[in-house]
Amino acid sequence: MGKWTDSVFEALKNCGGQAAYEELYQEFENLCKKKGYDLSIFNDYKGKPNWKSTVRRELQQHSSHKKAFLNKGDLFFPLKDGIWAIKDNKTMLKIICFYLSKYLDFNGVKNYSYN
């Protein structure tokens, strides 16, 4: 992984494995300051720091659920608009189990576990 990908991953990990953009941006910025990375190398775009687009790009390029995926490591998973999680077997297992649970029947009651 690259410097920015590693930093996004670590920032997301520090946020408990999932976070909304604003929380992730704050942790990423704090982490970069601790590591001595100079975020001023990114120009401002329309009055906003351009490094935030780098964070979004890294998330999208390392998520097989996005069109921008580069197939260089499937690290992140979009939970819903603006909320991202580290993709690991536990997260995927929970999603799959939740989805499949709606098809389980118990004692003749259809969709028992889903209900």
Side-chain angles (χ1 to χ4, degrees):
M1 291 191 293
K3 173 169 94 171
W4 301 118
T5 307
D6 289 340
S7 296
V8 170
F9 186 88
E10 190 174 344
L12 199 51
K13 184 178 171 187
N14 291 348
C15 291
Q18 69 181 37
Y21 279 125
E22 289 307 317
E23 182 183 4
L24 181 57
Y25 293 151
Q26 185 63 46
E27 184 59 34
F28 178 82
E29 185 175 27
N30 293 339
L31 190 62
C32 288
K33 285 179 183 176
K34 286 179 189 174
K35 291 183 174 187
Y37 296 158
D38 182 17
L39 294 178
S40 67
I41 62 170
F42 298 100
N43 297 326
D44 282 356
Y45 178 73
K46 295 185 179 181
K48 294 184 179 182
N50 203 27
W51 60 263
K52 291 181 179 182
S53 63
T54 299
V55 171
R56 291 190 305 274
R57 183 193 70 221
E58 292 298 326
L59 290 167
Q60 292 174 8
Q61 288 182 347
H62 292 86
S63 173
S64 62
H65 301 277
K66 294 294 184 176
K67 290 180 182 177
F69 182 56
L70 295 178
N71 205 18
K72 292 184 179 181
D74 197 8
L75 304 174
F76 307 114
F77 183 78
L79 294 176
K80 53 184 169 180
D81 288 342
I83 300 177
W84 287 83
I86 294 173
K87 188 172 188 178
D88 63 5
N89 290 338
K90 290 180 185 177
T91 301
M92 295 310 298
L93 181 62
K94 289 175 187 175
I95 292 168
I96 291 167
C97 287
F98 176 74
Y99 176 76
L100 292 177
S101 70
K102 71 180 185 176
Y103 297 107
L104 296 177
D105 296 340
F106 179 72
N107 287 341
V109 177
K110 294 216 180 266
N111 299 327
Y112 176 82
S113 58
Y114 183 71
N115 293 329

